[in-house]
Amino acid sequence: GTGADNDLYINQAIVFIEDAIQYRSINHRMDSRSLWLYRWYYSRTCQWILSLTITLILALAFIEKPSSLTVTSDVRYRPPAWNPPCGLTESIELLCFLVFVLDVSVKSYLVGWEEFWKNKWLMAYILTLIVSLADWIVSLSFFCAENVRIRRILRPFFLLQNSSMMKKTLKSINSTLPEMASVVLLLAVHLSLFTMFAMLLFTRTKDGQQDKEWVVYFRNLPDSLTSLLVLLTTANNPDVMIPAYSKNRAYSIFFILFTVLGNLFLMNLLTAIIYNQFRGYLLKSVQSSLFRRRLGIRAAFEVLSSLKDAPANAQQTYVSVGALLRVLQKVEMDSRCKQAIMRSLKICSCDHLSAAQFQKLFEELDKDAIKRHPPSPEYQSHFMQKLQFAFGHPYFGYLGNVVALANIISICVVLVMDADKQPSERDDFFLGAINCFFVLYYLLEMLLKILAMGLKRYLSYPSNRFDGLLTVILLVLEIATFAVYGFPHPGWRPEFMGLLSLWDMVRLGNMLIVFRFLRIIPNMKFMSLVVTTLLDLVKNLRAFAGILVVVFYAFAITGIMLFEGAVGPLGNTSAVNTTYGNGTLKCGTYEQLEYWPNNFDDFAVSNWSPSLFPSLLRLFTAYLLCVNLICRWAKIYFVAWWLISSVIWVNLFVALLLENFIHKWDRRCHREPLSDIEYQRTVELMFRDVLEEPTEEELMEKLHQHPHLQLCR
Amino acid sequence: GTGADNDLYINQAIVFIEDAIQYRSINHRMDSRSLWLYRWYYSRTCQWILSLTITLILALAFIEKPSSLTVTSDVRYRPPAWNPPCGLTESIELLCFLVFVLDVSVKSYLVGWEEFWKNKWLMAYILTLIVSLADWIVSLSFFCAENVRIRRILRPFFLLQNSSMMKKTLKSINSTLPEMASVVLLLAVHLSLFTMFAMLLFTRTKDGQQDKEWVVYFRNLPDSLTSLLVLLTTANNPDVMIPAYSKNRAYSIFFILFTVLGNLFLMNLLTAIIYNQFRGYLLKSVQSSLFRRRLGIRAAFEVLSSLKDAPANAQQTYVSVGALLRVLQKVEMDSRCKQAIMRSLKICSCDHLSAAQFQKLFEELDKDAIKRHPPSPEYQSHFMQKLQFAFGHPYFGYLGNVVALANIISICVVLVMDADKQPSERDDFFLGAINCFFVLYYLLEMLLKILAMGLKRYLSYPSNRFDGLLTVILLVLEIATFAVYGFPHPGWRPEFMGLLSLWDMVRLGNMLIVFRFLRIIPNMKFMSLVVTTLLDLVKNLRAFAGILVVVFYAFAITGIMLFEGAVGPLGNTSAVNTTYGNGTLKCGTYEQLEYWPNNFDDFAVSNWSPSLFPSLLRLFTAYLLCVNLICRWAKIYFVAWWLISSVIWVNLFVALLLENFIHKWDRRCHREPLSDIEYQRTVELMFRDVLEEPTEEELMEKLHQHPHLQLCR
């Protein structure tokens, strides 16, 4: 019937608009039941459950055997960790897998059969699930005794496939890979040519006294390559050249040439290439987001214009305002935007909207979210108004900053004076009394500010929230101290009582005070610019951070698989003693540098250890580490880690930072800062000036290609 | 008389055009004698003498006491260096000073009295000369026995003031300083807050077992600051956190937070700021160069239009072509440009030139220098033509590359096989025979290419010149080897003869072969782009390199003054032995790392030592170095060096590289590479698309402000 048709059209329009808001693709099934499933799937609860599941399965690595639940990771002091019994983590895993199976089936159904075959991400998702489940079954049938669990390496994929931003970013990175590969190739050529040079320069000599350089760093091809590779990371910067340089000054030319060409030119060239390439791709991805938004809005217009209550006009199609209002009531969107659109509709006061008008209405979505602070309370009494003026004035805030600075300086002075004192000689009276006074001032400041601004306005500023929270915590800490240890007096040095000693409580208070000092940031213009840039960056960086998590996770699990226990065998106390006792050992080996906590024995430390690559690789020439770890694999592992995390990811980060900062800097001059208004900007808004609006033809062509929607015309 | 006036005008026009070509200021005296002096001063000979004098006075540091004329700088092995007798270097210095006095007086005279007082560079020049001469007199009156010689630190100023590019760059850097200072301030705040945190976190504990972190890295305020500062350079990256991390995993959060905020955010922010600021200033300086050029040309037009043979026209001024031709004959300029202008004048075939036409004529100066390769010889014989086709074909070049690669691989294989052999076991026959064959092939390839391309065309390609030169050197080396040691045969292991042993000669040959392999670069598209970018960069970087030399020089001399002999006293063999014998010494002190050659005992090594700052500063907590060097000064010195050379200069370099590369990359797509044409571009040409032409009014206003030129109108 017509009514059912109309309902379907309204529902389709709702989903299209929601797709537009979320920058989602509109290529999904469009019948009533599918639409219901689609809205259910993208409802907040469902998405929240999915995110929780992903977090859960990723976090499992911390408690799975080998678990990270020890205070230290140092193999010398580490007690045997608690490992969950077989079946505990496995059953949680199974639960997660079931959620993923549900997720992938709903997704596949919604996308439709034809689209499914084109969607490589969905295929990979299913494949990952199958492999994971198979591995899970194998694991259980061995009663959790087997060590190689492929499904642990595959886990980050679940995080990756769930975020369209991350998939987009990965695509961008993928497009820059050929250029990056060229520079990496260039680096490899540079490295290999210099290695050959080095091997020809530093050879074994007949007398055996002069060839120290050869013995330590250039004994054979792998050693020479490693030495120069580590020189590229600057980790062994002076050490590698000392023996040769000590023989003859001229040898330094070789190392200077290598460093200048490799580090200064080629490495920075990589930055330049990544910046240049990535700049374009970020813009492109934002452009495609804009296209998706416009397409969703246009699709909503098209289905609404098919409604029977629209006037039949051969030339132009129209949408009735009533239908749009019906749609708007049911759409889940930011209430600010919804109200703004409703307001525009009322002002317009027309019955029918053309496509352009319709599109224009929804441009509200692209605008900056503007946040107004609530007004200050209006006092009747003259005295109160004067108080309000005095304590609402910026100068009162500056005074607070000066007091905070004075507090910091007093702590610093006490720290310097107490630096060399024995713990038993320390007198906590001075610091206790001072901090008591300062915390009282902070409390007074907070209360007066709330009086002047009203609680709502006070809390609407992030700096006040930060300030107030820390003041309250400090107050609680101070009261707790006095309750347990009494008021401070000269010679105030009580014994340990309760949860924390007095010394620890004072230290904690001091740390909070140092932390509270960060409230000065918004008062300094340049600092505030820098901090807002950094905060923006963090927002825009979520996709990058996700990819970094994926990489970290995969590398950490691989590290555990390859090197678990590798540092252990020699790490017991007796072995250390014999090692130290052996006078022939070179200075700077793994044991002597006491790198014990850097191993691959559990997930938490395995995440951290590879980032120490340069320092570790520096030691590879010392044979001790090579005996412990499987030498060649370890090298490949560390070099891969260094290339991906340190070289490529850091350069991507620099590119993004450059991009963000330059845009922000340019805008700083254009826009007058208004005191009461804050702008919230996203990466889409940053590029708004340079984005191109998609044309009508492009939109309609795309709409006609929709697999599940037959437009009337 | 009118003839004398006309001659003066012609001479003025000549000087103005030469100023325009060299981007010089036109604000100098304009009478006949001054013009002669001006042309003489800027003649090639005079400028060459001046450059030579500057080089000479800078190079003096290498032979002055303490001289760098020893093979090694290692205090353990260094023989007493030859020091020049008192009066030798001093007399050379006096000679240089006299040249500088002449230079400054000519410059001051030419600029005129009024301009002189405005010119701070000239004033500083005179001041530097006075101080230097006074110091020189003091030095001689002490018979060269005094150590503090201020004039040595002042020397780089002579380099600085002689280059207008360097002065301009310094101005640019100066303008970015406020922004840089903000970030450095931010870094300082970051560092000091984290230092306070660290001092509160890592305190002395009662049992004295758990406070290893406190003992080694955070004992007091200066130690804590140093530890974190060095962490900022990543030199002590894992070491500093190991004791705390070994106690509890959670301590790593502190270090990760510090590193991420400091290294990842703030340091890269510095890059972003410098790139953003510097981008503008480079463009601005190029814009002002363009203005100088247009102004010079316009000034020449104005004086030529005052010639009596010009038609008196009230509305517009003209210049006769004859006068311009007279000027052009006498102007010293690139012959290519001169011919192009003459040609245009002939084509124009008009008698008089308006200002716009005049300006347009000289736009030839702004154009890319285009270099055409001479044509190949045309052979009559059919056979020769076939040969020419075969050996002129790119494939023949590729074959040469393949052969060079094969040679490299064969050397590599021999190196790997011989890596662990005793020198007495080595058999040089295989490598000797192989190299002999390859060198013959290279010779043949060169001769065939010369046959195909003709000698002139062959030499016009830089890659061929490189190739040919190395082939000839290899041939000479090979012939010399056979002459001394006879032909290779199995068991070819002759005794040492002549200047080099056979082994050294073979090694030298191999190195040349590896070096020759770089000829493949132009054949690989991306590599060729990268290399041309780098070469461009080197051209544009001259001013930067100059400033770097100035900074290096000043730091090296200061280093010698502060720390000369500081590493010496403990450096004699007996002290080393006792040091090693003392079991309480920590691993990683100066002596044990054998950093002996890194001292400040002469200029050559003093240039190099501060760049090892992070590795040296890492050791400051080890008390040994602090006893040797005056600890606090050394820290300030090294931190200043690190900030200036490593942080600021490297970032400036990155900014310039980004700028160059992005321009180059953008242009790569626009312009079709023509096989026979090479473009030579300068920094001015890189920005040509974005430069603004100065308007007529601006030029005339500037001209009317000229202190020594009265224009008729």
Side-chain angles (χ1 to χ4, degrees):
Chain A
T2 316
D5 263 10
N6 275 0
D7 274 355
L8 177 63
Y9 288 146
I10 292 286
N11 281 334
Q12 283 178 345
I14 291 169
V15 168
F16 279 138
I17 288 172
E18 284 176 358
D19 284 345
I21 292 167
Q22 305 286 339
Y23 300 115
R24 286 197 297 252
S25 163
I26 59 163
N27 291 346
H28 48 78
R29 285 178 198 265
M30 298 307 300
D31 55 297
S32 284
R33 272 178 46 199
S34 302
L35 284 179
W36 177 85
L37 187 65
Y38 188 81
R39 287 197 78 191
W40 174 82
Y41 177 74
Y42 281 109
S43 71
R44 229 169 264 177
T45 326
C46 266
Q47 290 298 308
W48 186 81
I49 290 172
L50 196 57
S51 306
L52 186 76
T53 313
I54 292 169
T55 316
L56 195 67
I57 203 168
L58 286 179
L60 272 185
F62 286 99
I63 55 160
E64 270 178 345
K65 185 185 165 193
S67 84
S68 314
L69 302 172
T70 53
V71 172
T72 173
S73 62
D74 193 324
V75 286
R76 290 168 303 175
Y77 313 126
R78 188 179 56 194
W82 175 81
N83 282 321
C86 181
L88 179 65
T89 57
E90 280 73 12
S91 51
I92 300 175
E93 252 182 313
L94 186 63
L95 220 68
C96 295
F97 287 147
L98 289 182
V99 173
F100 291 140
V101 168
L102 192 68
D103 175 48
V104 79
S105 24
V106 171
K107 257 189 186 161
S108 307
Y109 169 75
L110 284 176
V111 121
W113 195 244
E114 273 177 49
E115 290 289 304
F116 172 76
W117 289 111
K118 292 182 207 153
N119 194 329
K120 279 175 202 154
W121 281 104
L122 272 180
M123 311 278 278
Y125 195 2
I126 290 173
L127 200 72
T128 312
L129 271 175
I130 291 170
V131 172
S132 295
L133 279 169
D135 191 49
W136 184 86
I137 290 163
V138 168
S139 196
L140 268 204
S141 61
F142 276 97
F143 296 105
C144 321
E146 101 300 8
N147 273 322
V148 180
R149 295 182 213 163
I150 307 159
R151 65 178 189 281
R152 295 181 69 178
I153 304 184
L154 294 179
R155 270 181 206 160
F157 180 82
F158 300 124
L159 176 66
L160 206 60
Q161 66 78 28
N162 192 45
S163 152
S164 66
M165 265 295 268
M166 269 166 76
K167 281 192 267 186
K168 222 184 275 178
T169 308
L170 208 68
K171 216 171 153 190
S172 300
I173 294 174
N174 204 26
S175 318
T176 29
L177 276 184
E179 310 287 342
M180 280 195 241
S182 309
V183 182
V184 171
L185 183 77
L186 216 61
L187 264 178
V189 169
H190 167 77
L191 206 61
S192 51
L193 283 187
F194 268 89
T195 304
M196 289 196 68
F197 259 119
M199 287 183 75
L200 288 165
L201 260 183
F202 309 113
T203 50
R204 193 168 200 172
T205 50
K206 273 181 187 155
D207 48 1
Q209 285 290 328
Q210 300 277 303
D211 55 2
K212 229 176 143 188
E213 186 80 36
W214 174 81
V215 170
V216 185
Y217 298 106
F218 297 97
R219 190 175 260 273
N220 49 41
L221 192 67
D223 273 11
S224 310
L225 256 178
T226 309
S227 295
L228 289 182
L229 186 66
V230 179
L231 185 57
L232 212 57
T233 71
T234 70
N236 62 356
N237 178 14
D239 307 275
V240 70
M241 56 169 283
I242 292 298
Y245 186 51
S246 168
K247 209 166 120 194
N248 191 326
R249 289 169 192 273
Y251 281 119
S252 65
I253 296 171
F254 172 82
F255 292 101
I256 292 174
L257 222 68
F258 178 82
T259 312
V260 166
L261 275 178
N263 281 18
L264 212 56
F265 280 91
L266 291 181
M267 286 299 211
N268 288 328
L269 195 69
L270 204 63
T271 311
I273 283 175
I274 290 180
Y275 172 62
N276 193 37
Q277 286 282 316
F278 196 72
R279 196 172 47 151
Y281 281 107
L282 199 64
L283 180 66
K284 220 169 126 185
S285 93
V286 175
Q287 180 77 56
S288 86
S289 286
L290 182 81
F291 187 79
R292 280 189 170 185
R293 175 161 282 181
R294 297 284 178 267
L295 188 65
I297 300 292
R298 182 69 199 213
F301 175 81
E302 291 298 327
V303 291
L304 283 181
S305 71
S306 317
L307 278 178
K308 292 297 169 290
D309 58 346
N313 187 325
Q315 267 75 47
Q316 271 197 301
T317 47
Y318 287 102
V319 163
S320 78
V321 171
L324 178 56
L325 282 175
R326 269 174 74 194
V327 168
L328 274 182
Q329 272 159 5
K330 289 193 192 163
V331 162
E332 266 188 41
M333 67 192 290
D334 189 30
S335 62
R336 181 189 61 76
C337 280
K338 198 185 267 188
Q339 281 164 15
I341 293 173
M342 296 281 206
R343 219 178 301 128
S344 316
L345 266 182
K346 264 179 208 156
I347 293 168
C348 158
S349 74
C350 43
D351 276 353
H352 301 291
L353 296 165
S354 71
Q357 285 171 315
F358 194 85
Q359 200 72 264
K360 201 169 174 56
L361 267 183
F362 283 93
E363 266 171 22
E364 192 62 37
L365 291 172
D366 304 333
K367 287 188 189 151
D368 296 344
I370 292 171
K371 193 177 150 194
R372 277 186 194 281
H373 296 289
S376 304
E378 284 178 24
Y379 291 109
Q380 301 295 327
S381 129
H382 199 65
F383 175 68
M384 287 299 276
Q385 280 178 1
K386 269 194 176 163
L387 275 188
Q388 189 176 24
F389 175 78
F391 299 122
H393 200 276
Y395 283 147
F396 186 60
Y398 298 156
L399 179 68
N401 291 343
V402 171
V403 172
L405 184 66
N407 196 351
I408 291 274
I409 290 170
S410 73
I411 292 174
C412 201
V413 167
V414 171
L415 275 179
V416 169
M417 288 195 314
D418 280 0
D420 267 326
K421 274 191 192 156
Q422 287 287 342
S424 55
E425 291 169 22
R426 276 190 219 117
D427 187 351
D428 300 329
F429 165 65
F430 182 64
L431 211 56
I434 279 187
N435 279 355
C436 179
F437 161 74
F438 278 115
V439 170
L440 280 180
Y441 176 83
Y442 296 154
L443 182 68
L444 194 73
E445 191 195 6
M446 185 179 75
L447 292 176
L448 286 174
K449 270 196 176 170
I450 291 176
L451 181 84
M453 301 167 81
L455 189 62
K456 270 194 184 168
R457 187 179 168 83
Y458 180 83
L459 287 179
S460 73
Y461 288 95
S463 64
N464 283 341
R465 284 200 296 269
F466 173 78
D467 210 26
L469 186 71
L470 278 180
T471 307
V472 169
I473 293 174
L474 272 173
L475 193 71
V476 169
L477 194 73
E478 204 73 358
I479 291 171
T481 309
F482 295 153
V484 179
Y485 297 101
F487 283 97
H489 52 81
W492 191 45
R493 209 182 308 127
E495 286 303 294
F496 186 93
M497 272 189 234
L499 200 66
L500 286 166
S501 72
L502 175 63
W503 172 238
D504 287 330
M505 285 179 108
V506 171
R507 269 166 67 201
L508 189 62
N510 287 343
M511 279 184 218
L512 289 174
I513 288 169
V514 171
F515 192 53
R516 190 181 171 279
F517 185 66
L518 291 180
R519 56 170 258 166
I520 61 154
I521 287 173
N523 292 123
M524 291 169 79
K525 206 178 152 194
F526 180 78
M527 252 190 193
S528 144
L529 177 78
V530 164
V531 170
T532 50
T533 309
L534 293 189
L535 290 181
D536 272 19
L537 197 67
V538 169
K539 268 189 227 158
N540 298 340
L541 210 70
R542 272 175 305 178
F544 272 94
I547 288 170
L548 192 67
V549 166
V550 169
V551 171
F552 260 82
Y553 203 96
F555 265 98
I557 297 284
T558 318
I560 293 179
M561 280 187 186
L562 288 177
F563 312 123
E564 193 192 336
V567 181
L570 258 164
N572 54 60
T573 329
S574 66
V576 176
N577 282 344
T578 53
T579 310
Y580 273 104
N582 188 346
T584 58
L585 266 176
K586 268 195 59 278
C587 192
T589 51
Y590 200 79
E591 271 72 14
Q592 275 181 291
L593 280 174
E594 306 209 325
Y595 281 180
W596 295 117
N598 297 319
N599 50 46
F600 290 89
D601 291 358
D602 61 56
F603 182 72
V605 65
S606 191
N607 255 317
W608 172 245
S609 293
S611 66
L612 306 175
F613 152 73
S615 319
L616 289 178
L617 209 55
R618 179 174 56 180
L619 304 175
F620 268 103
T621 39
Y623 74 102
L624 218 66
L625 193 65
C626 277
V627 174
N628 287 349
L629 304 182
I630 316 119
C631 201
R632 211 147 289 183
W633 285 110
K635 262 186 207 176
I636 291 171
Y637 173 81
F638 281 117
V639 170
W641 167 257
W642 172 69
L643 264 181
I644 288 174
S645 88
S646 172
V647 176
I648 292 178
W649 197 84
V650 166
N651 277 322
L652 282 171
F653 179 85
V654 171
L656 201 66
L657 194 139
L658 276 172
E659 194 73 356
N660 260 283
F661 185 79
I662 288 170
H663 273 267
K664 190 107 186 174
W665 197 265
D666 287 351
R667 184 164 290 114
R668 187 185 59 143
C669 315
H670 297 323
R671 177 179 290 173
E672 277 295 297
L674 296 171
S675 59
D676 252 19
I677 293 173
E678 277 173 33
Y679 293 95
Q680 272 131 29
R681 13 188 74 257
T682 56
V683 66
E684 282 80 21
L685 291 171
M686 203 173 73
F687 287 103
R688 200 175 35 185
D689 315 334
V690 275
L691 287 182
E692 277 178 30
E693 283 288 330
T695 62
E696 169 117 12
E697 287 74 35
E698 285 169 348
L699 288 177
M700 290 311 291
E701 196 197 329
K702 195 81 192 172
L703 269 183
H704 283 293
Q705 287 169 6
H706 193 290
H708 305 290
L709 188 75
Q710 274 78 42
L711 289 177
C712 306
R713 293 166 301 157
Chain B
T2 316
D5 263 8
N6 275 0
D7 273 355
L8 176 63
Y9 288 146
I10 292 285
N11 281 334
Q12 283 177 345
I14 290 169
V15 169
F16 279 139
I17 288 172
E18 283 176 358
D19 284 346
I21 292 167
Q22 305 286 338
Y23 300 115
R24 286 195 299 249
S25 163
I26 59 163
N27 291 347
H28 49 75
R29 288 177 196 266
M30 300 304 302
D31 55 296
S32 282
R33 269 177 50 201
S34 302
L35 284 180
W36 176 84
L37 187 65
Y38 188 83
R39 288 198 78 191
W40 172 79
Y41 178 73
Y42 281 108
S43 70
R44 227 169 265 179
T45 325
C46 265
Q47 290 299 309
W48 187 81
I49 289 172
L50 197 58
S51 306
L52 187 74
T53 313
I54 292 169
T55 315
L56 196 66
I57 201 166
L58 286 179
L60 272 185
F62 286 100
I63 56 159
E64 271 179 344
K65 191 185 160 196
S67 83
S68 315
L69 301 171
T70 54
V71 172
T72 173
S73 63
D74 193 326
V75 287
R76 292 169 300 176
Y77 311 126
R78 187 179 54 192
W82 174 83
N83 282 322
C86 181
L88 179 66
T89 57
E90 280 74 10
S91 51
I92 298 176
E93 251 181 315
L94 186 64
L95 219 69
C96 293
F97 288 146
L98 290 180
V99 173
F100 290 140
V101 168
L102 191 68
D103 175 47
V104 79
S105 24
V106 170
K107 257 189 186 162
S108 307
Y109 170 77
L110 284 176
V111 119
W113 196 243
E114 274 178 51
E115 290 289 304
F116 172 75
W117 288 110
K118 293 183 208 154
N119 194 328
K120 279 174 203 153
W121 280 104
L122 272 180
M123 312 277 279
Y125 195 2
I126 290 174
L127 200 73
T128 310
L129 270 176
I130 291 170
V131 172
S132 296
L133 279 169
D135 191 52
W136 184 86
I137 291 163
V138 169
S139 197
L140 268 203
S141 62
F142 276 97
F143 297 104
C144 322
E146 101 301 5
N147 272 322
V148 181
R149 296 180 211 164
I150 308 161
R151 66 176 188 283
R152 294 182 70 181
I153 303 184
L154 295 178
R155 270 179 205 159
F157 180 82
F158 301 123
L159 175 66
L160 206 59
Q161 65 78 33
N162 193 46
S163 150
S164 67
M165 263 298 266
M166 269 166 78
K167 281 191 268 187
K168 222 185 276 177
T169 308
L170 208 67
K171 218 172 152 190
S172 300
I173 293 174
N174 205 25
S175 320
T176 28
L177 277 186
E179 311 287 343
M180 279 196 241
S182 309
V183 182
V184 171
L185 183 77
L186 216 62
L187 264 178
V189 170
H190 167 77
L191 205 61
S192 52
L193 284 187
F194 268 90
T195 304
M196 287 196 67
F197 258 119
M199 286 183 77
L200 288 165
L201 260 183
F202 310 113
T203 51
R204 195 167 197 172
T205 49
K206 275 180 187 155
D207 49 1
Q209 285 289 327
Q210 299 278 301
D211 54 2
K212 225 174 148 190
E213 185 81 36
W214 175 80
V215 169
V216 185
Y217 298 107
F218 297 98
R219 189 175 262 273
N220 49 41
L221 192 68
D223 272 11
S224 311
L225 257 179
T226 310
S227 294
L228 288 182
L229 186 67
V230 178
L231 184 57
L232 211 57
T233 70
T234 71
N236 62 356
N237 178 17
D239 307 276
V240 71
M241 56 169 283
I242 292 297
Y245 186 54
S246 167
K247 212 167 115 195
N248 190 327
R249 289 167 193 273
Y251 282 118
S252 65
I253 296 170
F254 172 83
F255 293 101
I256 292 174
L257 222 68
F258 178 83
T259 312
V260 167
L261 275 178
N263 280 19
L264 211 56
F265 280 92
L266 291 180
M267 285 302 212
N268 287 330
L269 195 70
L270 205 65
T271 312
I273 284 176
I274 292 180
Y275 173 61
N276 193 37
Q277 286 283 315
F278 197 74
R279 195 173 46 150
Y281 283 106
L282 199 64
L283 180 65
K284 221 167 122 184
S285 92
V286 175
Q287 179 78 54
S288 85
S289 287
L290 182 79
F291 188 80
R292 281 187 170 186
R293 176 162 281 179
R294 296 285 179 267
L295 189 65
I297 301 291
R298 182 70 197 211
F301 175 81
E302 290 298 326
V303 292
L304 284 183
S305 71
S306 317
L307 279 178
K308 292 295 167 292
D309 60 347
N313 185 324
Q315 269 74 47
Q316 271 199 300
T317 46
Y318 286 101
V319 162
S320 76
V321 170
L324 178 58
L325 281 175
R326 268 175 74 194
V327 168
L328 274 181
Q329 271 160 7
K330 288 191 192 164
V331 162
E332 268 189 37
M333 67 192 288
D334 187 32
S335 62
R336 181 190 59 80
C337 280
K338 198 184 267 190
Q339 280 165 14
I341 293 173
M342 297 281 207
R343 218 178 301 128
S344 316
L345 267 180
K346 265 181 208 154
I347 292 169
C348 157
S349 74
C350 43
D351 276 355
H352 301 291
L353 294 166
S354 72
Q357 284 173 315
F358 194 83
Q359 201 71 264
K360 201 166 173 57
L361 266 183
F362 282 94
E363 265 171 23
E364 192 62 40
L365 292 172
D366 303 332
K367 288 191 186 145
D368 294 345
I370 291 170
K371 195 176 149 195
R372 278 187 191 282
H373 296 287
S376 304
E378 284 178 26
Y379 291 109
Q380 301 299 324
S381 127
H382 198 67
F383 175 69
M384 285 302 275
Q385 281 177 359
K386 270 196 173 164
L387 274 188
Q388 187 175 27
F389 176 78
F391 299 122
H393 200 276
Y395 283 148
F396 185 61
Y398 299 154
L399 179 69
N401 292 344
V402 171
V403 171
L405 183 68
N407 196 353
I408 292 273
I409 290 171
S410 73
I411 292 174
C412 202
V413 167
V414 171
L415 275 179
V416 169
M417 289 195 314
D418 281 0
D420 267 325
K421 272 190 194 160
Q422 288 287 344
S424 55
E425 290 171 22
R426 278 190 217 116
D427 188 350
D428 301 329
F429 165 64
F430 182 65
L431 212 55
I434 279 186
N435 280 356
C436 178
F437 161 74
F438 279 115
V439 170
L440 279 180
Y441 176 82
Y442 297 153
L443 182 70
L444 193 71
E445 189 195 6
M446 184 179 78
L447 292 177
L448 286 175
K449 271 196 178 172
I450 292 176
L451 181 83
M453 302 167 81
L455 190 62
K456 271 192 183 169
R457 186 176 170 84
Y458 179 82
L459 287 180
S460 73
Y461 288 96
S463 63
N464 283 341
R465 284 201 296 270
F466 173 79
D467 209 29
L469 186 72
L470 278 180
T471 306
V472 168
I473 294 174
L474 272 173
L475 193 71
V476 169
L477 193 75
E478 206 72 0
I479 291 171
T481 310
F482 295 154
V484 179
Y485 295 102
F487 283 94
H489 51 85
W492 191 43
R493 208 181 312 126
E495 286 302 294
F496 188 92
M497 271 190 232
L499 199 64
L500 287 166
S501 73
L502 174 63
W503 171 236
D504 288 330
M505 284 178 109
V506 171
R507 269 167 66 203
L508 190 62
N510 286 345
M511 282 184 216
L512 289 174
I513 288 169
V514 172
F515 192 54
R516 189 180 172 279
F517 185 65
L518 292 179
R519 58 168 257 169
I520 61 152
I521 288 173
N523 291 123
M524 292 169 77
K525 208 179 156 196
F526 181 79
M527 252 192 193
S528 142
L529 177 76
V530 164
V531 169
T532 50
T533 309
L534 294 188
L535 290 181
D536 270 20
L537 197 68
V538 169
K539 269 188 223 159
N540 297 340
L541 210 69
R542 269 177 307 179
F544 273 92
I547 289 170
L548 191 67
V549 166
V550 169
V551 172
F552 259 81
Y553 202 98
F555 265 97
I557 297 283
T558 319
I560 293 179
M561 281 185 183
L562 289 176
F563 313 122
E564 193 192 335
V567 182
L570 259 166
N572 53 60
T573 331
S574 66
V576 176
N577 282 343
T578 55
T579 310
Y580 271 105
N582 188 344
T584 58
L585 267 176
K586 268 195 59 274
C587 192
T589 51
Y590 202 80
E591 270 71 13
Q592 273 181 291
L593 282 174
E594 308 207 323
Y595 280 0
W596 297 116
N598 297 318
N599 50 46
F600 290 90
D601 292 358
D602 62 58
F603 182 74
V605 66
S606 191
N607 256 317
W608 172 245
S609 291
S611 66
L612 305 176
F613 152 74
S615 318
L616 288 178
L617 210 53
R618 180 173 56 179
L619 304 176
F620 268 102
T621 41
Y623 74 102
L624 218 68
L625 191 66
C626 276
V627 175
N628 287 349
L629 303 183
I630 315 119
C631 200
R632 212 147 289 186
W633 284 111
K635 263 187 206 176
I636 293 172
Y637 173 82
F638 281 118
V639 171
W641 166 256
W642 172 69
L643 264 181
I644 290 176
S645 86
S646 170
V647 177
I648 293 179
W649 197 84
V650 166
N651 277 321
L652 281 172
F653 179 85
V654 171
L656 201 67
L657 193 137
L658 276 172
E659 194 74 357
N660 260 284
F661 185 78
I662 287 171
H663 273 269
K664 189 107 187 173
W665 196 265
D666 288 350
R667 182 163 291 115
R668 186 185 59 143
C669 315
H670 297 323
R671 177 180 287 171
E672 277 294 298
L674 296 170
S675 59
D676 253 22
I677 294 174
E678 276 174 35
Y679 294 95
Q680 271 130 31
R681 11 190 74 256
T682 58
V683 65
E684 282 80 21
L685 290 171
M686 204 174 70
F687 286 102
R688 197 174 41 185
D689 314 332
V690 276
L691 287 182
E692 278 176 30
E693 282 289 328
T695 62
E696 171 116 14
E697 287 74 35
E698 286 169 346
L699 289 176
M700 290 312 289
E701 197 198 329
K702 195 82 192 170
L703 270 184
H704 283 293
Q705 287 168 4
H706 194 290
H708 306 290
L709 188 73
Q710 276 78 39
L711 289 178
C712 305
R713 289 167 302 156

